[in-house]
PDB file of all heavy atoms in Angstrom:
ATOM      1  N   ALA A  16     -10.111 -12.182  20.467  1.00 96.00           N
ATOM      2  CA  ALA A  16      -9.676 -11.015  19.701  1.00 96.00           C
ATOM      3  C   ALA A  16      -9.048  -9.989  20.640  1.00 96.00           C
ATOM      4  O   ALA A  16      -9.659  -9.605  21.645  1.00 96.00           O
ATOM      5  CB  ALA A  16     -10.860 -10.396  18.968  1.00 96.00           C
ATOM      6  N   PRO A  17      -7.837  -9.517  20.353  1.00 96.00           N
ATOM      7  CA  PRO A  17      -7.231  -8.475  21.184  1.00 96.00           C
ATOM      8  C   PRO A  17      -8.129  -7.242  21.224  1.00 96.00           C
ATOM      9  O   PRO A  17      -8.803  -6.908  20.242  1.00 96.00           O
ATOM     10  CB  PRO A  17      -5.907  -8.174  20.464  1.00 96.00           C
ATOM     11  CG  PRO A  17      -5.611  -9.419  19.685  1.00 96.00           C
ATOM     12  CD  PRO A  17      -6.941  -9.950  19.265  1.00 96.00           C
ATOM     13  N   SER A  18      -8.136  -6.558  22.345  1.00 95.00           N
ATOM     14  CA  SER A  18      -9.074  -5.458  22.551  1.00 95.00           C
ATOM     15  C   SER A  18      -8.896  -4.334  21.534  1.00 95.00           C
ATOM     16  O   SER A  18      -9.873  -3.777  21.021  1.00 95.00           O
ATOM     17  CB  SER A  18      -8.934  -4.906  23.970  1.00 95.00           C
ATOM     18  OG  SER A  18      -7.595  -4.498  24.221  1.00 95.00           O
ATOM     19  N   GLY A  19      -7.647  -3.977  21.226  1.00 97.00           N
ATOM     20  CA  GLY A  19      -7.411  -2.912  20.259  1.00 97.00           C
ATOM     21  C   GLY A  19      -7.914  -3.267  18.881  1.00 97.00           C
ATOM     22  O   GLY A  19      -8.468  -2.420  18.162  1.00 97.00           O
ATOM     23  N   TYR A  20      -7.733  -4.514  18.508  1.00 98.00           N
ATOM     24  CA  TYR A  20      -8.193  -5.002  17.207  1.00 98.00           C
ATOM     25  C   TYR A  20      -9.713  -4.916  17.113  1.00 98.00           C
ATOM     26  O   TYR A  20     -10.261  -4.433  16.111  1.00 98.00           O
ATOM     27  CB  TYR A  20      -7.712  -6.443  17.042  1.00 98.00           C
ATOM     28  CG  TYR A  20      -8.220  -7.169  15.824  1.00 98.00           C
ATOM     29  CD1 TYR A  20      -7.746  -6.858  14.557  1.00 98.00           C
ATOM     30  CD2 TYR A  20      -9.152  -8.194  15.949  1.00 98.00           C
ATOM     31  CE1 TYR A  20      -8.195  -7.546  13.439  1.00 98.00           C
ATOM     32  CE2 TYR A  20      -9.603  -8.890  14.839  1.00 98.00           C
ATOM     33  CZ  TYR A  20      -9.123  -8.560  13.584  1.00 98.00           C
ATOM     34  OH  TYR A  20      -9.581  -9.244  12.478  1.00 98.00           O
ATOM     35  N   ALA A  21     -10.406  -5.362  18.146  1.00 97.00           N
ATOM     36  CA  ALA A  21     -11.872  -5.326  18.146  1.00 97.00           C
ATOM     37  C   ALA A  21     -12.394  -3.891  18.144  1.00 97.00           C
ATOM     38  O   ALA A  21     -13.330  -3.558  17.403  1.00 97.00           O
ATOM     39  CB  ALA A  21     -12.413  -6.093  19.355  1.00 97.00           C
ATOM     40  N   ILE A  22     -11.770  -3.031  18.949  1.00 97.00           N
ATOM     41  CA  ILE A  22     -12.203  -1.631  19.008  1.00 97.00           C
ATOM     42  C   ILE A  22     -11.973  -0.933  17.674  1.00 97.00           C
ATOM     43  O   ILE A  22     -12.800  -0.137  17.219  1.00 97.00           O
ATOM     44  CB  ILE A  22     -11.462  -0.895  20.144  1.00 97.00           C
ATOM     45  CG1 ILE A  22     -11.899  -1.438  21.505  1.00 97.00           C
ATOM     46  CG2 ILE A  22     -11.696   0.606  20.063  1.00 97.00           C
ATOM     47  CD1 ILE A  22     -11.068  -0.942  22.665  1.00 97.00           C
ATOM     48  N   PHE A  23     -10.866  -1.244  17.039  1.00 98.00           N
ATOM     49  CA  PHE A  23     -10.546  -0.637  15.746  1.00 98.00           C
ATOM     50  C   PHE A  23     -11.651  -0.932  14.728  1.00 98.00           C
ATOM     51  O   PHE A  23     -12.170  -0.015  14.071  1.00 98.00           O
ATOM     52  CB  PHE A  23      -9.211  -1.172  15.250  1.00 98.00           C
ATOM     53  CG  PHE A  23      -8.793  -0.649  13.895  1.00 98.00           C
ATOM     54  CD1 PHE A  23      -8.177   0.585  13.776  1.00 98.00           C
ATOM     55  CD2 PHE A  23      -9.029  -1.396  12.752  1.00 98.00           C
ATOM     56  CE1 PHE A  23      -7.793   1.070  12.527  1.00 98.00           C
ATOM     57  CE2 PHE A  23      -8.651  -0.919  11.510  1.00 98.00           C
ATOM     58  CZ  PHE A  23      -8.032   0.310  11.395  1.00 98.00           C
ATOM     59  N   TYR A  24     -12.009  -2.193  14.585  1.00 98.00           N
ATOM     60  CA  TYR A  24     -13.049  -2.554  13.617  1.00 98.00           C
ATOM     61  C   TYR A  24     -14.407  -1.990  14.037  1.00 98.00           C
ATOM     62  O   TYR A  24     -15.179  -1.528  13.201  1.00 98.00           O
ATOM     63  CB  TYR A  24     -13.135  -4.073  13.474  1.00 98.00           C
ATOM     64  CG  TYR A  24     -12.224  -4.642  12.411  1.00 98.00           C
ATOM     65  CD1 TYR A  24     -10.923  -5.040  12.711  1.00 98.00           C
ATOM     66  CD2 TYR A  24     -12.662  -4.791  11.104  1.00 98.00           C
ATOM     67  CE1 TYR A  24     -10.083  -5.569  11.745  1.00 98.00           C
ATOM     68  CE2 TYR A  24     -11.831  -5.324  10.125  1.00 98.00           C
ATOM     69  CZ  TYR A  24     -10.544  -5.716  10.444  1.00 98.00           C
ATOM     70  OH  TYR A  24      -9.722  -6.232   9.478  1.00 98.00           O
ATOM     71  N   ARG A  25     -14.674  -2.039  15.327  1.00 97.00           N
ATOM     72  CA  ARG A  25     -15.975  -1.562  15.804  1.00 97.00           C
ATOM     73  C   ARG A  25     -16.142  -0.068  15.532  1.00 97.00           C
ATOM     74  O   ARG A  25     -17.255   0.397  15.234  1.00 97.00           O
ATOM     75  CB  ARG A  25     -16.127  -1.847  17.289  1.00 97.00           C
ATOM     76  CG  ARG A  25     -17.508  -1.499  17.827  1.00 97.00           C
ATOM     77  CD  ARG A  25     -17.782  -2.126  19.165  1.00 97.00           C
ATOM     78  NE  ARG A  25     -19.202  -2.110  19.478  1.00 97.00           N
ATOM     79  CZ  ARG A  25     -19.751  -2.825  20.444  1.00 97.00           C
ATOM     80  NH1 ARG A  25     -18.996  -3.636  21.172  1.00 97.00           N
ATOM     81  NH2 ARG A  25     -21.045  -2.753  20.665  1.00 97.00           N
ATOM     82  N   SER A  26     -15.075   0.692  15.622  1.00 97.00           N
ATOM     83  CA  SER A  26     -15.171   2.128  15.396  1.00 97.00           C
ATOM     84  C   SER A  26     -15.621   2.441  13.972  1.00 97.00           C
ATOM     85  O   SER A  26     -16.295   3.458  13.733  1.00 97.00           O
ATOM     86  CB  SER A  26     -13.825   2.796  15.680  1.00 97.00           C
ATOM     87  OG  SER A  26     -12.827   2.352  14.770  1.00 97.00           O
ATOM     88  N   PHE A  27     -15.290   1.583  13.027  1.00 97.00           N
ATOM     89  CA  PHE A  27     -15.714   1.809  11.647  1.00 97.00           C
ATOM     90  C   PHE A  27     -17.159   1.379  11.426  1.00 97.00           C
ATOM     91  O   PHE A  27     -17.841   1.933  10.558  1.00 97.00           O
ATOM     92  CB  PHE A  27     -14.790   1.061  10.685  1.00 97.00           C
ATOM     93  CG  PHE A  27     -13.457   1.725  10.491  1.00 97.00           C
ATOM     94  CD1 PHE A  27     -12.387   1.403  11.314  1.00 97.00           C
ATOM     95  CD2 PHE A  27     -13.270   2.688   9.510  1.00 97.00           C
ATOM     96  CE1 PHE A  27     -11.153   2.013  11.150  1.00 97.00           C
ATOM     97  CE2 PHE A  27     -12.049   3.306   9.335  1.00 97.00           C
ATOM     98  CZ  PHE A  27     -10.981   2.975  10.168  1.00 97.00           C
ATOM     99  N   THR A  28     -17.626   0.400  12.202  1.00 97.00           N
ATOM    100  CA  THR A  28     -19.028  -0.012  12.042  1.00 97.00           C
ATOM    101  C   THR A  28     -19.983   1.070  12.537  1.00 97.00           C
ATOM    102  O   THR A  28     -21.155   1.074  12.158  1.00 97.00           O
ATOM    103  CB  THR A  28     -19.305  -1.324  12.795  1.00 97.00           C
ATOM    104  OG1 THR A  28     -19.100  -1.129  14.210  1.00 97.00           O
ATOM    105  CG2 THR A  28     -18.400  -2.440  12.301  1.00 97.00           C
ATOM    106  N   ILE A  29     -19.503   1.972  13.371  1.00 96.00           N
ATOM    107  CA  ILE A  29     -20.345   3.072  13.858  1.00 96.00           C
ATOM    108  C   ILE A  29     -20.859   3.907  12.692  1.00 96.00           C
ATOM    109  O   ILE A  29     -21.987   4.412  12.715  1.00 96.00           O
ATOM    110  CB  ILE A  29     -19.566   3.943  14.861  1.00 96.00           C
ATOM    111  CG1 ILE A  29     -19.247   3.131  16.125  1.00 96.00           C
ATOM    112  CG2 ILE A  29     -20.350   5.199  15.219  1.00 96.00           C
ATOM    113  CD1 ILE A  29     -18.355   3.854  17.115  1.00 96.00           C
ATOM    114  N   VAL A  30     -20.034   4.029  11.649  1.00 96.00           N
ATOM    115  CA  VAL A  30     -20.455   4.795  10.464  1.00 96.00           C
ATOM    116  C   VAL A  30     -20.924   3.863   9.344  1.00 96.00           C
ATOM    117  O   VAL A  30     -21.017   4.264   8.186  1.00 96.00           O
ATOM    118  CB  VAL A  30     -19.317   5.707   9.965  1.00 96.00           C
ATOM    119  CG1 VAL A  30     -19.045   6.799  10.977  1.00 96.00           C
ATOM    120  CG2 VAL A  30     -18.051   4.905   9.678  1.00 96.00           C
ATOM    121  N   GLY A  31     -21.208   2.604   9.714  1.00 96.00           N
ATOM    122  CA  GLY A  31     -21.816   1.673   8.771  1.00 96.00           C
ATOM    123  C   GLY A  31     -20.875   0.942   7.846  1.00 96.00           C
ATOM    124  O   GLY A  31     -21.317   0.342   6.857  1.00 96.00           O
ATOM    125  N   ILE A  32     -19.565   0.953   8.132  1.00 97.00           N
ATOM    126  CA  ILE A  32     -18.603   0.266   7.272  1.00 97.00           C
ATOM    127  C   ILE A  32     -18.566  -1.214   7.630  1.00 97.00           C
ATOM    128  O   ILE A  32     -18.351  -1.585   8.782  1.00 97.00           O
ATOM    129  CB  ILE A  32     -17.207   0.884   7.396  1.00 97.00           C
ATOM    130  CG1 ILE A  32     -17.229   2.325   6.860  1.00 97.00           C
ATOM    131  CG2 ILE A  32     -16.163   0.062   6.648  1.00 97.00           C
ATOM    132  CD1 ILE A  32     -15.916   3.050   6.974  1.00 97.00           C
ATOM    133  N   ASP A  33     -18.748  -2.062   6.641  1.00 97.00           N
ATOM    134  CA  ASP A  33     -18.760  -3.515   6.829  1.00 97.00           C
ATOM    135  C   ASP A  33     -17.349  -3.991   7.192  1.00 97.00           C
ATOM    136  O   ASP A  33     -16.383  -3.676   6.479  1.00 97.00           O
ATOM    137  CB  ASP A  33     -19.233  -4.182   5.535  1.00 97.00           C
ATOM    138  CG  ASP A  33     -19.277  -5.701   5.640  1.00 97.00           C
ATOM    139  OD1 ASP A  33     -19.140  -6.235   6.758  1.00 97.00           O
ATOM    140  OD2 ASP A  33     -19.451  -6.358   4.599  1.00 97.00           O
ATOM    141  N   PRO A  34     -17.180  -4.746   8.271  1.00 98.00           N
ATOM    142  CA  PRO A  34     -15.852  -5.244   8.647  1.00 98.00           C
ATOM    143  C   PRO A  34     -15.166  -6.052   7.545  1.00 98.00           C
ATOM    144  O   PRO A  34     -13.944  -5.974   7.390  1.00 98.00           O
ATOM    145  CB  PRO A  34     -16.140  -6.117   9.879  1.00 98.00           C
ATOM    146  CG  PRO A  34     -17.387  -5.547  10.454  1.00 98.00           C
ATOM    147  CD  PRO A  34     -18.200  -5.088   9.286  1.00 98.00           C
ATOM    148  N   LEU A  35     -15.944  -6.822   6.785  1.00 97.00           N
ATOM    149  CA  LEU A  35     -15.347  -7.608   5.709  1.00 97.00           C
ATOM    150  C   LEU A  35     -14.785  -6.691   4.622  1.00 97.00           C
ATOM    151  O   LEU A  35     -13.685  -6.932   4.110  1.00 97.00           O
ATOM    152  CB  LEU A  35     -16.383  -8.566   5.113  1.00 97.00           C
ATOM    153  CG  LEU A  35     -15.859  -9.507   4.021  1.00 97.00           C
ATOM    154  CD1 LEU A  35     -14.749 -10.386   4.565  1.00 97.00           C
ATOM    155  CD2 LEU A  35     -16.985 -10.361   3.456  1.00 97.00           C
ATOM    156  N   TRP A  36     -15.514  -5.635   4.282  1.00 97.00           N
ATOM    157  CA  TRP A  36     -15.022  -4.664   3.299  1.00 97.00           C
ATOM    158  C   TRP A  36     -13.758  -3.988   3.824  1.00 97.00           C
ATOM    159  O   TRP A  36     -12.776  -3.831   3.089  1.00 97.00           O
ATOM    160  CB  TRP A  36     -16.106  -3.619   3.027  1.00 97.00           C
ATOM    161  CG  TRP A  36     -15.726  -2.601   1.988  1.00 97.00           C
ATOM    162  CD1 TRP A  36     -15.901  -2.684   0.642  1.00 97.00           C
ATOM    163  CD2 TRP A  36     -15.071  -1.334   2.237  1.00 97.00           C
ATOM    164  NE1 TRP A  36     -15.404  -1.546   0.028  1.00 97.00           N
ATOM    165  CE2 TRP A  36     -14.895  -0.700   0.976  1.00 97.00           C
ATOM    166  CE3 TRP A  36     -14.636  -0.677   3.383  1.00 97.00           C
ATOM    167  CZ2 TRP A  36     -14.293   0.547   0.840  1.00 97.00           C
ATOM    168  CZ3 TRP A  36     -14.030   0.566   3.248  1.00 97.00           C
ATOM    169  CH2 TRP A  36     -13.866   1.162   1.995  1.00 97.00           C
ATOM    170  N   LEU A  37     -13.763  -3.618   5.084  1.00 98.00           N
ATOM    171  CA  LEU A  37     -12.605  -2.960   5.681  1.00 98.00           C
ATOM    172  C   LEU A  37     -11.382  -3.875   5.659  1.00 98.00           C
ATOM    173  O   LEU A  37     -10.259  -3.428   5.409  1.00 98.00           O
ATOM    174  CB  LEU A  37     -12.930  -2.546   7.114  1.00 98.00           C
ATOM    175  CG  LEU A  37     -11.827  -1.826   7.895  1.00 98.00           C
ATOM    176  CD1 LEU A  37     -11.418  -0.531   7.198  1.00 98.00           C
ATOM    177  CD2 LEU A  37     -12.281  -1.549   9.323  1.00 98.00           C
ATOM    178  N   SER A  38     -11.608  -5.175   5.899  1.00 97.00           N
ATOM    179  CA  SER A  38     -10.490  -6.132   5.913  1.00 97.00           C
ATOM    180  C   SER A  38      -9.822  -6.255   4.554  1.00 97.00           C
ATOM    181  O   SER A  38      -8.664  -6.675   4.465  1.00 97.00           O
ATOM    182  CB  SER A  38     -10.980  -7.505   6.387  1.00 97.00           C
ATOM    183  OG  SER A  38     -11.776  -8.145   5.399  1.00 97.00           O
ATOM    184  N   LYS A  39     -10.525  -5.905   3.498  1.00 97.00           N
ATOM    185  CA  LYS A  39      -9.942  -5.957   2.154  1.00 97.00           C
ATOM    186  C   LYS A  39      -9.138  -4.696   1.837  1.00 97.00           C
ATOM    187  O   LYS A  39      -8.198  -4.736   1.042  1.00 97.00           O
ATOM    188  CB  LYS A  39     -11.051  -6.145   1.113  1.00 97.00           C
ATOM    189  CG  LYS A  39     -11.816  -7.452   1.256  1.00 97.00           C
ATOM    190  CD  LYS A  39     -12.954  -7.532   0.258  1.00 97.00           C
ATOM    191  CE  LYS A  39     -13.756  -8.821   0.438  1.00 97.00           C
ATOM    192  NZ  LYS A  39     -14.870  -8.931  -0.539  1.00 97.00           N
ATOM    193  N   ILE A  40      -9.507  -3.582   2.449  1.00 97.00           N
ATOM    194  CA  ILE A  40      -8.828  -2.317   2.217  1.00 97.00           C
ATOM    195  C   ILE A  40      -7.567  -2.190   3.077  1.00 97.00           C
ATOM    196  O   ILE A  40      -6.553  -1.630   2.659  1.00 97.00           O
ATOM    197  CB  ILE A  40      -9.778  -1.137   2.523  1.00 97.00           C
ATOM    198  CG1 ILE A  40     -10.993  -1.173   1.589  1.00 97.00           C
ATOM    199  CG2 ILE A  40      -9.056   0.197   2.411  1.00 97.00           C
ATOM    200  CD1 ILE A  40     -10.654  -0.935   0.140  1.00 97.00           C
ATOM    201  N   LEU A  41      -7.620  -2.725   4.281  1.00 98.00           N
ATOM    202  CA  LEU A  41      -6.543  -2.524   5.256  1.00 98.00           C
ATOM    203  C   LEU A  41      -5.158  -2.970   4.790  1.00 98.00           C
ATOM    204  O   LEU A  41      -4.171  -2.282   5.089  1.00 98.00           O
ATOM    205  CB  LEU A  41      -6.892  -3.243   6.564  1.00 98.00           C
ATOM    206  CG  LEU A  41      -7.765  -2.461   7.548  1.00 98.00           C
ATOM    207  CD1 LEU A  41      -8.111  -3.325   8.752  1.00 98.00           C
ATOM    208  CD2 LEU A  41      -7.063  -1.185   8.006  1.00 98.00           C
ATOM    209  N   PRO A  42      -5.009  -4.111   4.080  1.00 97.00           N
ATOM    210  CA  PRO A  42      -3.651  -4.520   3.694  1.00 97.00           C
ATOM    211  C   PRO A  42      -2.883  -3.455   2.916  1.00 97.00           C
ATOM    212  O   PRO A  42      -1.677  -3.292   3.115  1.00 97.00           O
ATOM    213  CB  PRO A  42      -3.900  -5.773   2.839  1.00 97.00           C
ATOM    214  CG  PRO A  42      -5.162  -6.352   3.397  1.00 97.00           C
ATOM    215  CD  PRO A  42      -6.000  -5.157   3.753  1.00 97.00           C
ATOM    216  N   LEU A  43      -3.558  -2.716   2.054  1.00 97.00           N
ATOM    217  CA  LEU A  43      -2.895  -1.639   1.307  1.00 97.00           C
ATOM    218  C   LEU A  43      -2.393  -0.561   2.262  1.00 97.00           C
ATOM    219  O   LEU A  43      -1.233  -0.123   2.167  1.00 97.00           O
ATOM    220  CB  LEU A  43      -3.869  -1.043   0.292  1.00 97.00           C
ATOM    221  CG  LEU A  43      -3.408   0.252  -0.418  1.00 97.00           C
ATOM    222  CD1 LEU A  43      -2.140  -0.002  -1.217  1.00 97.00           C
ATOM    223  CD2 LEU A  43      -4.515   0.794  -1.307  1.00 97.00           C
ATOM    224  N   ILE A  44      -3.231  -0.160   3.198  1.00 98.00           N
ATOM    225  CA  ILE A  44      -2.862   0.898   4.143  1.00 98.00           C
ATOM    226  C   ILE A  44      -1.750   0.424   5.079  1.00 98.00           C
ATOM    227  O   ILE A  44      -0.756   1.127   5.306  1.00 98.00           O
ATOM    228  CB  ILE A  44      -4.096   1.342   4.947  1.00 98.00           C
ATOM    229  CG1 ILE A  44      -5.176   1.887   4.007  1.00 98.00           C
ATOM    230  CG2 ILE A  44      -3.720   2.380   5.993  1.00 98.00           C
ATOM    231  CD1 ILE A  44      -6.504   2.138   4.668  1.00 98.00           C
ATOM    232  N   LEU A  45      -1.909  -0.777   5.609  1.00 98.00           N
ATOM    233  CA  LEU A  45      -0.883  -1.315   6.514  1.00 98.00           C
ATOM    234  C   LEU A  45       0.430  -1.526   5.780  1.00 98.00           C
ATOM    235  O   LEU A  45       1.512  -1.367   6.361  1.00 98.00           O
ATOM    236  CB  LEU A  45      -1.379  -2.633   7.121  1.00 98.00           C
ATOM    237  CG  LEU A  45      -2.601  -2.531   8.046  1.00 98.00           C
ATOM    238  CD1 LEU A  45      -3.028  -3.926   8.507  1.00 98.00           C
ATOM    239  CD2 LEU A  45      -2.316  -1.642   9.240  1.00 98.00           C
ATOM    240  N   GLY A  46       0.350  -1.890   4.506  1.00 97.00           N
ATOM    241  CA  GLY A  46       1.557  -2.077   3.709  1.00 97.00           C
ATOM    242  C   GLY A  46       2.322  -0.777   3.525  1.00 97.00           C
ATOM    243  O   GLY A  46       3.563  -0.752   3.595  1.00 97.00           O
ATOM    244  N   LEU A  47       1.609   0.315   3.311  1.00 98.00           N
ATOM    245  CA  LEU A  47       2.268   1.612   3.161  1.00 98.00           C
ATOM    246  C   LEU A  47       2.908   2.062   4.469  1.00 98.00           C
ATOM    247  O   LEU A  47       4.025   2.612   4.476  1.00 98.00           O
ATOM    248  CB  LEU A  47       1.250   2.656   2.679  1.00 98.00           C
ATOM    249  CG  LEU A  47       0.732   2.466   1.245  1.00 98.00           C
ATOM    250  CD1 LEU A  47      -0.418   3.416   0.963  1.00 98.00           C
ATOM    251  CD2 LEU A  47       1.859   2.680   0.231  1.00 98.00           C
ATOM    252  N   LEU A  48       2.214   1.832   5.585  1.00 98.00           N
ATOM    253  CA  LEU A  48       2.789   2.180   6.888  1.00 98.00           C
ATOM    254  C   LEU A  48       4.022   1.329   7.183  1.00 98.00           C
ATOM    255  O   LEU A  48       5.047   1.844   7.678  1.00 98.00           O
ATOM    256  CB  LEU A  48       1.736   1.976   7.986  1.00 98.00           C
ATOM    257  CG  LEU A  48       0.593   2.986   8.031  1.00 98.00           C
ATOM    258  CD1 LEU A  48      -0.466   2.545   9.037  1.00 98.00           C
ATOM    259  CD2 LEU A  48       1.110   4.375   8.384  1.00 98.00           C
ATOM    260  N   THR A  49       3.934   0.054   6.883  1.00 98.00           N
ATOM    261  CA  THR A  49       5.075  -0.850   7.087  1.00 98.00           C
ATOM    262  C   THR A  49       6.272  -0.397   6.267  1.00 98.00           C
ATOM    263  O   THR A  49       7.410  -0.372   6.752  1.00 98.00           O
ATOM    264  CB  THR A  49       4.679  -2.289   6.702  1.00 98.00           C
ATOM    265  OG1 THR A  49       3.635  -2.739   7.555  1.00 98.00           O
ATOM    266  CG2 THR A  49       5.868  -3.234   6.818  1.00 98.00           C
ATOM    267  N   THR A  50       6.017  -0.035   5.022  1.00 98.00           N
ATOM    268  CA  THR A  50       7.084   0.437   4.139  1.00 98.00           C
ATOM    269  C   THR A  50       7.743   1.689   4.692  1.00 98.00           C
ATOM    270  O   THR A  50       8.977   1.816   4.697  1.00 98.00           O
ATOM    271  CB  THR A  50       6.513   0.723   2.742  1.00 98.00           C
ATOM    272  OG1 THR A  50       5.935  -0.470   2.214  1.00 98.00           O
ATOM    273  CG2 THR A  50       7.589   1.225   1.797  1.00 98.00           C
ATOM    274  N   SER A  51       6.953   2.610   5.189  1.00 98.00           N
ATOM    275  CA  SER A  51       7.492   3.869   5.725  1.00 98.00           C
ATOM    276  C   SER A  51       8.413   3.612   6.905  1.00 98.00           C
ATOM    277  O   SER A  51       9.532   4.159   6.975  1.00 98.00           O
ATOM    278  CB  SER A  51       6.334   4.787   6.144  1.00 98.00           C
ATOM    279  OG  SER A  51       5.488   5.077   5.059  1.00 98.00           O
TER     280      SER A  51
END
C-alpha cells in the first residue's frame, strides 16, 4: 500500500471511522474533485 494511501485511511480510523465504510463514501467525493 502506498504510504499516502495508508496514512489517509488511518487518519480516519483515529476518530473511529471504519475503512470499509469510508471506501464506499470516497468515490462520490473523488468524483466531484475529478470533475472540478
Side-chain angles (χ1 to χ4, degrees):
S18 56
Y20 173 73
I22 293 170
F23 178 82
Y24 271 90
R25 185 164 197 166
S26 64
F27 284 90
T28 63
I29 294 174
V30 293
I32 295 178
D33 180 11
L35 183 60
W36 182 88
L37 181 60
S38 72
K39 297 176 182 181
I40 298 294
L41 275 176
L43 170 61
I44 300 171
L45 295 177
L47 292 171
L48 288 172
T49 297
T50 301
S51 301

